[in-house]
Amino acid sequence: MEGKRKKILIIGGVAAGPKAAARARRCDPGAEITIVEEGSFLSYAGCGMPFYIGGMVEKHEELMATPVGVVRDAAFFRNVKDINVLTGTRAEAIDRENKTVRVTNLATNETYDLPYDKLVLATGSKPVRPPIPGVDLAGVYTLGNLEEARAVRRAVEQGARRVVIIGGGLIGLELADTLGTKAGITIVEMMDHVLPTLLDPELSVLVERVLRGKGVQLFLGSRVERIEGDGNGAVARVVTTAGSFDADLVVVAAGVRPRVELAREAGLELGETGAIKVNEYLQTSDPDIYAGGDCVENIHLISGRPVYTPMGSVANRHGRVIGDNVAGGRDTFPGVLGTAILKVFEMNIGRTGLSESEARRLGYRVESFICPAPDRAHFYPGSKPVIIKLVADASTRKLLGAQILGPGDVNKRLDVMVAALSMGATVEQLATFDLAYAPPFSTALDPLTHAANCLRNKLDGRARSINPLEVKKRLAAGEDFVLLDVRTPAEFNEVRLPYPNVVFIPLGKLRERAKELPKDREIIVFCKVSLRGWEAQTILESLGFTNVSFFEGGIAAWPFELDTSPRRS
Amino acid sequence: MEGKRKKILIIGGVAAGPKAAARARRCDPGAEITIVEEGSFLSYAGCGMPFYIGGMVEKHEELMATPVGVVRDAAFFRNVKDINVLTGTRAEAIDRENKTVRVTNLATNETYDLPYDKLVLATGSKPVRPPIPGVDLAGVYTLGNLEEARAVRRAVEQGARRVVIIGGGLIGLELADTLGTKAGITIVEMMDHVLPTLLDPELSVLVERVLRGKGVQLFLGSRVERIEGDGNGAVARVVTTAGSFDADLVVVAAGVRPRVELAREAGLELGETGAIKVNEYLQTSDPDIYAGGDCVENIHLISGRPVYTPMGSVANRHGRVIGDNVAGGRDTFPGVLGTAILKVFEMNIGRTGLSESEARRLGYRVESFICPAPDRAHFYPGSKPVIIKLVADASTRKLLGAQILGPGDVNKRLDVMVAALSMGATVEQLATFDLAYAPPFSTALDPLTHAANCLRNKLDGRARSINPLEVKKRLAAGEDFVLLDVRTPAEFNEVRLPYPNVVFIPLGKLRERAKELPKDREIIVFCKVSLRGWEAQTILESLGFTNVSFFEGGIAAWPFELDTSPRRS
């Protein structure tokens, strides 16, 4: 009997690996399942590292425990799941012909072969460590594993106050958020905006405003040239194209790369992103070898193209599919939407599907709309704004993506968009969703319904709206147009656009005062969010004005200068 | 010119009416648009009434204002939208042949005819006022309009402390929530459970536990026989089949009925629910008369059957479709899911689609699963549980409905389910959604993903699970089985099921101690949520046990007795 047990061997013990092992055990109680993990920790929540570093999660053990506090160590896997776990053991090479993996026990240096019937590669990713002079100094960290996270936290606890983060992506910003109250943060980002792969630029600017408001120094479009030491091998200063900064601690958050050495040397096919290529069953080019988690590339559900979007959530979903399939099942993993969410101080930021820039690069005929709205009934205590940008294919009216941010409930609208995009919804279908409404939770027309309706109006040619970037470009080019502010006097006194071509007429007075406006000049209307802007466009057109548009997002999402100096009505 | 302007006449000024008017104006700048409203208030958020009564919304004007504080009165509609509004004006009769509506100015008693090209009925609903003796006493209110809401609030402010709510539905519970800290609340509900049309009974019981925990007195399966006065025409006491209660204030929250008198007398077709029947364009049986909001019935998107589910959100969506169509468009309203959400003290409660009871009544082959899970990473501060019940068609694996409740983020998961149901998703599709994950927002596998996977395991015959109601029924019938608790000792000491057939073996010890269990008796396993329950089923089956199942929801969703007396390990 023992000789006939199917041997399932899994390389990697963080997310996809343990999940695949657990699922395989449930589907095949008789299989012999072994996990090989190079590190000493198993099955930990890598995404929790920024929160552990910031102290919001007190002990690193919490990242390794189940919700009821059971630590998922080797004994747990053995006793509960009947799974062998070999920590501190490195996989060196795959012998596909003999179906064995050569491993080394890192403590004893003993090397031996483990046989498999089905092999799972869950080798994960490693942080990019750019070839900057000085990157190996003490005090320069990446966040490749829990040990490094512990070292960074210890450094802050021991007094590191000048922290330079190299990279303004998701992890860099999460770190700025969790460390922001404990240290002075400088972020150096090569691209022109933070979150450059996640958001369109006009929304990244809103995030940058929040970061700067919290005292984070941002150097965008800047490159790190070298890291200088203090003469004793510890970091002292970061030299960039934007200047030099004293640093007690440097965290390199410049993204991650898939760990594919084992796969490459075994001759398994890699994809165009450099990650392991897998089919919908998560099989590599060798049908007895599966791969999942951060080491593989995925198919983007909207574009149909391979993308590299390493995420703990995806790794867990991969694990279940692989566990099913190595146990004889035929489950499939259809792909990803590149969903991401993060918190940057009081701002929640989410995105899924394609951004407008991505969609344009891919050749779609794109239409988009930016729509701020309160996240719950404005009369209910605690109502906060969210800003939604929807991106759609103007030819098919199918939704392509969404970016949502603000202090309000971004999380909910983001996941509704994930569902809508997963199911191929059109803008019209989104507008008809029977979304939940009660004042503590939403508005009678949810912000998403409202955003969908606005985009429909634009697609139908009813609403003539433009992106705020377009307005700024035309202001910069000195073009002649009227910027018509139709808000209330109270709103006007609070904050204004500081441009000489602004004319202020509250919406309620517009019909009677429209004669003050020139019919021969272009008029671009705006209000707080853009709804009254559209109303004003309709009114002016009904009065014979022919060159009227409004800009999207209004004051609430205006990414450039604002005049907030006190003013009496 | 004037004579050729299309005349759009709208009866009803609360939700669907003003929305239809505003949309019609945007689509047809030349139309003559008139709203006739019987009351003195216009376009107010009726769903905000419980919160106004409870004082969370300070002024009733806030329910009538736009988010920037503009009150939507007749002057607002005139100045901003070029819409005529006649408040205090009652529509008496429709003359379909001459296309006029007879109206009465309630102040002057003047009666006259208003002509129309397109007529919109947005006559709303009226609260059910059951024919109970004494229902007309002073101090007995329904919440039919803002005036009544103001009277209830005034009564509480002036000292009414003994409040009896007749009806344990959504509005009754919202009132209990908002008044709960200011008055002693008694709820009398005819059905056996609160929220009887929204939730399956095992979940209603969890809501009842919260209400009772907050000191709300619940009398279920009880009927009000009469309301007695104090001899001066004011309410003094409510006499029910469960006993008599002194009362300073009685609120009848026994549901609403569509206001269809005008439509019925004009010979327009009513549906089987008693509400006005409309087609997908929201046209009545007279193609020049549209209807929307609380006076019409809708098609349920899952069952395809007519339902009466009056909701402010639906009324707003109706309004846009009608506004489009009376202006010459062809927009459609596909239907509803019966989505509802409410807050009852610290518990959020949502539902959409069909409940299990509804689905069974409709003849579906139903499978369901109850799955509690933390709403965000358990290691992140503020993580709270949600309990998800998914209902699916076992033949097609399509999702039929969801009920979600708990102190955690119910709102988000509910609207994801709305999107999934709107698009006809299967359980498998739900499980693959690339939902957002970061520790402040969710878990690596979102509770919905997890619930979908659990239901898949059950549909596939892997997980043999039963509903807690079934366990209770078999306990009550004195059936012989072992209730196996596989939680940790710490969990066991905190709370236990108080039944003599409970055996306690922590999951980690189960493989070694399984021999203590009888192989010839049925074993029903449970844990805190049900995940370890399933794990235990798998373990026991691999050890040769053949009659093992687990019950869904574990201790976290157990709706019956719990022993929380202190116990040392």
Side-chain angles (χ1 to χ4, degrees):
Chain A
M1 277 300 283
E2 186 69 15
K4 289 192 182 166
R5 292 176 69 192
K6 179 190 274 188
K7 289 185 166 60
I8 298 171
L9 180 59
I10 294 165
I11 313 297
V14 174
K19 181 74 185 172
R23 178 68 185 169
R25 165 59 67 237
R26 284 170 188 155
C27 296
D28 183 350
E32 192 181 311
I33 303 175
T34 304
I35 300 175
V36 171
E37 165 59 33
E38 187 172 355
S40 50
F41 297 122
L42 200 71
S43 197
Y44 67 90
C47 312
M49 286 199 286
F51 308 97
Y52 166 71
I53 291 171
M56 313 180 72
V57 177
E58 203 187 332
K59 295 179 177 168
H60 74 272
E61 286 86 354
E62 295 175 56
L63 301 182
M64 305 168 64
T66 68
V68 294
V70 176
V71 169
R72 286 171 293 205
D73 57 11
F76 169 82
F77 276 90
R78 157 62 53 214
N79 293 337
V80 172
K81 296 178 189 279
D82 188 22
I83 290 169
N84 314 310
V85 175
L86 307 171
T87 48
T89 303
R90 181 159 59 215
E92 308 281 3
I94 305 167
D95 180 343
R96 290 166 55 191
E97 203 169 324
N98 294 306
K99 298 179 94 169
T100 59
V101 175
R102 168 138 306 189
V103 301
T104 299
N105 179 323
L106 296 175
T108 64
N109 251 329
E110 181 196 4
T111 290
Y112 56 101
D113 288 342
L114 287 171
Y116 68 83
D117 294 306
K118 300 287 175 192
L119 177 64
V120 178
L121 298 180
T123 46
S125 58
K126 53 173 181 278
V128 170
R129 208 173 171 85
I132 302 167
V135 76
D136 294 321
L137 287 165
V140 181
Y141 297 96
T142 58
L143 294 176
N145 53 46
L146 218 39
E147 284 88 345
E148 280 208 80
R150 297 173 77 181
V152 172
R153 171 154 165 182
R154 215 176 301 121
V156 174
E157 284 171 355
Q158 291 171 359
R161 285 295 165 271
R162 296 165 302 178
V163 178
V164 175
I165 298 172
I166 300 177
L170 189 145
I171 298 293
L173 263 53
E174 273 189 344
L175 253 189
D177 172 64
T178 58
L179 287 181
T181 54
K182 309 190 168 200
I185 308 282
T186 300
I187 296 178
V188 184
E189 165 60 48
M190 282 208 321
M191 308 294 283
D192 288 339
H193 294 289
V194 298
L195 302 173
T197 62
L198 298 183
L199 300 182
D200 285 320
E202 74 276 19
L203 300 185
S204 286
V205 174
L206 299 174
V207 180
E208 290 156 14
R209 191 185 283 166
V210 168
L211 285 163
R212 292 199 169 105
K214 293 288 178 178
V216 174
Q217 292 199 70
L218 285 183
F219 294 92
L220 306 173
S222 306
R223 214 160 28 74
V224 175
E225 297 185 322
R226 64 180 182 279
I227 305 173
E228 294 177 348
D230 64 355
N232 294 313
V235 65
R237 163 184 293 268
V238 178
V239 180
T240 80
T241 52
S244 299
F245 318 109
D246 290 342
D248 303 322
L249 180 65
V250 174
V251 179
V252 180
V256 299
R257 294 235 175 84
R259 293 183 56 166
V260 298
E261 295 78 2
L262 211 55
R264 189 198 291 125
E265 281 160 28
L268 299 176
E269 192 179 347
L270 303 185
E272 61 184 74
T273 68
I276 302 172
K277 187 167 183 165
V278 288
N279 63 16
E280 62 180 330
Y281 306 107
L282 300 179
Q283 264 167 324
T284 65
S285 53
D286 180 331
D288 288 324
I289 305 181
Y290 291 76
D294 285 7
C295 64
V296 306
E297 64 181 25
N298 287 291
I299 297 301
H300 196 287
L301 286 170
I302 303 295
S303 70
R305 296 171 62 99
V307 287
Y308 182 60
T309 55
M311 291 292 289
S313 49
V314 173
N316 270 280
R317 282 194 281 273
H318 280 171
R320 189 182 194 275
V321 172
I322 293 174
D324 246 49
N325 293 347
V326 294
R330 282 299 259 177
D331 200 10
T332 57
F333 182 83
V336 299
L337 289 167
T339 310
I341 191 166
L342 71 159
K343 188 178 93 57
V344 175
F345 301 104
E346 74 276 6
M347 185 176 258
N348 304 308
I349 304 157
R351 61 94 67 209
T352 186
L354 302 176
S355 67
E356 180 166 2
S357 338
E358 285 171 333
R360 290 198 188 281
R361 264 202 305 280
L362 288 163
Y364 287 92
R365 193 158 79 82
V366 177
E367 201 57 277
S368 70
F369 198 93
I370 300 169
C371 181
D375 67 345
R376 68 195 77 181
H378 61 272
F379 54 78
Y380 194 84
S383 170
K384 291 176 195 159
V386 293
I387 296 171
I388 297 174
K389 178 173 184 177
L390 293 183
V391 180
D393 181 333
S395 308
T396 62
R397 298 175 80 110
K398 273 200 175 189
L399 292 158
L400 297 174
Q403 297 158 66
I404 312 180
L405 48 78
D409 187 349
V410 163
N411 192 18
K412 153 168 145 148
R413 279 79 195 190
L414 182 64
D415 273 353
V416 172
M417 286 306 303
V418 168
L421 290 167
S422 299
M423 300 297 295
T426 62
V427 182
E428 276 66 32
Q429 287 174 312
L430 174 59
T432 66
F433 286 176
D434 188 16
L435 297 169
Y437 169 55
F441 300 100
S442 186
T443 46
L445 288 185
D446 189 86
L448 273 181
T449 313
H450 184 53
N453 281 335
C454 289
L455 183 49
R456 290 169 79 189
N457 291 332
K458 190 175 180 187
L459 284 164
D460 291 339
R462 283 191 203 287
R464 270 168 289 286
S465 65
I466 58 178
N467 188 288
L469 285 183
E470 177 72 17
V471 178
K472 178 65 174 174
K473 208 164 68 184
R474 291 163 67 174
L475 282 167
E479 288 187 29
D480 176 51
F481 57 92
V482 172
L483 265 175
L484 176 61
D485 185 340
V486 295
R487 296 174 302 147
T488 64
E491 292 174 279
F492 183 78
N493 293 334
E494 198 180 321
V495 55
R496 293 157 303 283
L497 292 196
Y499 308 113
N501 55 337
V502 170
V503 171
F504 173 62
I505 302 178
L507 185 66
K509 305 279 184 198
L510 187 58
R511 285 183 196 274
E512 61 184 81
R513 290 182 52 192
K515 52 185 179 297
E516 299 171 23
L517 293 167
K519 285 209 171 166
D520 56 342
R521 282 173 73 196
E522 180 179 2
I523 298 173
I524 302 178
V525 197
F526 67 98
C527 62
K528 184 176 172 192
V529 297
S530 55
L531 194 57
R532 285 171 289 168
W534 184 35
E535 194 93 52
Q537 179 211 302
T538 316
I539 292 173
L540 291 175
E541 285 179 346
S542 76
L543 297 173
F545 289 78
T546 53
N547 195 0
V548 187
S549 62
F550 64 95
F551 77 73
E552 296 166 17
I555 289 275
W558 180 250
F560 306 106
E561 309 83 346
L562 289 170
D563 177 1
T564 56
S565 60
R567 182 171 294 213
R568 296 187 320 119
S569 45
Chain B
M1 276 298 285
E2 188 67 15
K4 291 192 179 164
R5 291 176 70 191
K6 179 188 273 185
K7 290 186 165 57
I8 299 171
L9 180 59
I10 296 165
I11 313 296
V14 174
K19 180 75 187 174
R23 177 69 185 167
R25 166 57 68 234
R26 283 171 188 157
C27 296
D28 183 351
E32 191 181 314
I33 304 174
T34 303
I35 301 175
V36 171
E37 165 61 31
E38 187 171 354
S40 49
F41 297 122
L42 200 73
S43 195
Y44 67 90
C47 312
M49 286 200 286
F51 308 97
Y52 166 73
I53 291 171
M56 312 179 73
V57 178
E58 204 187 333
K59 297 181 178 165
H60 74 274
E61 286 86 355
E62 296 176 55
L63 302 182
M64 305 168 63
T66 68
V68 294
V70 176
V71 169
R72 286 170 293 204
D73 57 12
F76 169 82
F77 276 91
R78 159 60 55 214
N79 293 337
V80 171
K81 296 179 189 279
D82 188 23
I83 292 169
N84 314 310
V85 177
L86 308 171
T87 49
T89 303
R90 181 159 58 211
E92 308 281 3
I94 303 168
D95 180 343
R96 288 167 55 190
E97 204 168 323
N98 293 308
K99 297 180 94 167
T100 58
V101 175
R102 169 139 305 191
V103 301
T104 300
N105 179 325
L106 296 175
T108 64
N109 250 332
E110 179 197 5
T111 288
Y112 55 103
D113 288 341
L114 287 171
Y116 68 83
D117 296 305
K118 301 288 175 190
L119 177 64
V120 178
L121 299 179
T123 46
S125 58
K126 52 174 180 276
V128 172
R129 208 172 171 86
I132 304 166
V135 77
D136 293 321
L137 286 164
V140 181
Y141 296 95
T142 58
L143 293 176
N145 53 46
L146 218 39
E147 284 87 345
E148 281 210 81
R150 295 174 76 182
V152 172
R153 172 154 164 181
R154 216 177 300 121
V156 175
E157 284 172 355
Q158 290 170 1
R161 284 295 166 271
R162 295 165 304 177
V163 179
V164 175
I165 298 171
I166 301 178
L170 189 146
I171 298 293
L173 264 52
E174 274 189 342
L175 253 189
D177 171 65
T178 58
L179 286 180
T181 54
K182 309 190 170 201
I185 309 282
T186 300
I187 295 178
V188 184
E189 164 60 45
M190 284 209 320
M191 307 294 282
D192 289 339
H193 293 288
V194 298
L195 302 174
T197 62
L198 298 184
L199 300 182
D200 286 321
E202 74 275 19
L203 299 186
S204 287
V205 175
L206 299 175
V207 180
E208 291 155 14
R209 190 186 282 164
V210 168
L211 285 162
R212 292 196 169 106
K214 293 289 177 177
V216 174
Q217 291 200 74
L218 286 183
F219 294 93
L220 305 174
S222 307
R223 216 161 25 75
V224 175
E225 296 185 324
R226 62 182 183 281
I227 305 173
E228 295 178 349
D230 63 355
N232 294 314
V235 65
R237 164 183 291 269
V238 178
V239 180
T240 80
T241 52
S244 299
F245 318 111
D246 291 341
D248 304 321
L249 179 66
V250 175
V251 179
V252 181
V256 299
R257 293 233 177 85
R259 293 183 57 166
V260 299
E261 296 78 2
L262 210 55
R264 189 197 293 122
E265 282 159 28
L268 300 176
E269 192 179 347
L270 303 184
E272 61 183 73
T273 67
I276 302 173
K277 188 169 180 164
V278 287
N279 64 16
E280 62 180 330
Y281 305 106
L282 301 179
Q283 265 167 322
T284 66
S285 53
D286 180 333
D288 288 322
I289 305 180
Y290 292 76
D294 284 9
C295 63
V296 305
E297 64 182 27
N298 288 291
I299 297 301
H300 196 287
L301 287 170
I302 304 296
S303 70
R305 296 171 64 97
V307 288
Y308 181 60
T309 53
M311 291 292 289
S313 50
V314 173
N316 270 280
R317 282 193 281 274
H318 281 172
R320 189 183 194 275
V321 172
I322 292 174
D324 245 48
N325 293 347
V326 293
R330 284 299 263 176
D331 200 12
T332 58
F333 183 83
V336 300
L337 289 167
T339 310
I341 189 165
L342 71 159
K343 188 180 93 58
V344 175
F345 300 104
E346 75 276 8
M347 186 176 258
N348 304 309
I349 304 158
R351 61 93 67 211
T352 186
L354 302 175
S355 68
E356 181 165 3
S357 337
E358 285 171 331
R360 289 197 189 282
R361 266 203 306 278
L362 288 163
Y364 288 92
R365 193 159 78 81
V366 177
E367 199 58 275
S368 70
F369 198 93
I370 299 169
C371 181
D375 68 344
R376 67 196 77 181
H378 62 272
F379 54 78
Y380 195 83
S383 170
K384 292 176 192 158
V386 293
I387 296 171
I388 298 173
K389 179 174 184 177
L390 292 183
V391 180
D393 181 334
S395 308
T396 62
R397 298 176 81 108
K398 272 199 175 190
L399 292 158
L400 296 175
Q403 296 158 67
I404 311 180
L405 48 77
D409 187 350
V410 163
N411 192 19
K412 151 168 147 145
R413 279 80 194 190
L414 182 63
D415 273 352
V416 173
M417 286 306 302
V418 168
L421 290 166
S422 300
M423 300 297 296
T426 61
V427 183
E428 275 66 31
Q429 287 174 312
L430 174 60
T432 67
F433 286 175
D434 187 17
L435 296 170
Y437 168 54
F441 300 99
S442 185
T443 47
L445 287 184
D446 189 86
L448 274 180
T449 312
H450 184 52
N453 281 334
C454 289
L455 183 49
R456 291 169 80 188
N457 291 331
K458 191 174 180 188
L459 284 163
D460 291 339
R462 284 190 203 285
R464 271 168 288 284
S465 64
I466 58 179
N467 188 288
L469 285 184
E470 176 72 18
V471 178
K472 178 66 174 176
K473 207 164 71 185
R474 291 162 69 173
L475 281 167
E479 288 187 28
D480 175 50
F481 58 92
V482 173
L483 265 176
L484 175 61
D485 184 340
V486 295
R487 295 174 303 147
T488 63
E491 291 174 279
F492 183 78
N493 292 334
E494 197 181 322
V495 55
R496 294 158 302 282
L497 293 195
Y499 308 112
N501 55 340
V502 170
V503 171
F504 172 63
I505 303 178
L507 185 66
K509 304 278 183 198
L510 186 58
R511 285 181 194 276
E512 63 185 79
R513 289 182 52 192
K515 52 187 179 297
E516 299 170 24
L517 293 166
K519 284 208 172 169
D520 56 342
R521 282 174 72 197
E522 180 179 1
I523 299 173
I524 301 178
V525 197
F526 66 98
C527 61
K528 182 175 171 192
V529 295
S530 55
L531 194 58
R532 283 171 292 169
W534 184 34
E535 194 94 52
Q537 179 211 302
T538 316
I539 292 173
L540 291 175
E541 286 179 347
S542 76
L543 297 172
F545 289 79
T546 54
N547 194 0
V548 187
S549 61
F550 64 96
F551 76 74
E552 297 166 16
I555 289 274
W558 180 250
F560 306 105
E561 310 83 348
L562 288 170
D563 177 359
T564 56
S565 60
R567 181 171 295 214
R568 295 191 319 122
S569 48

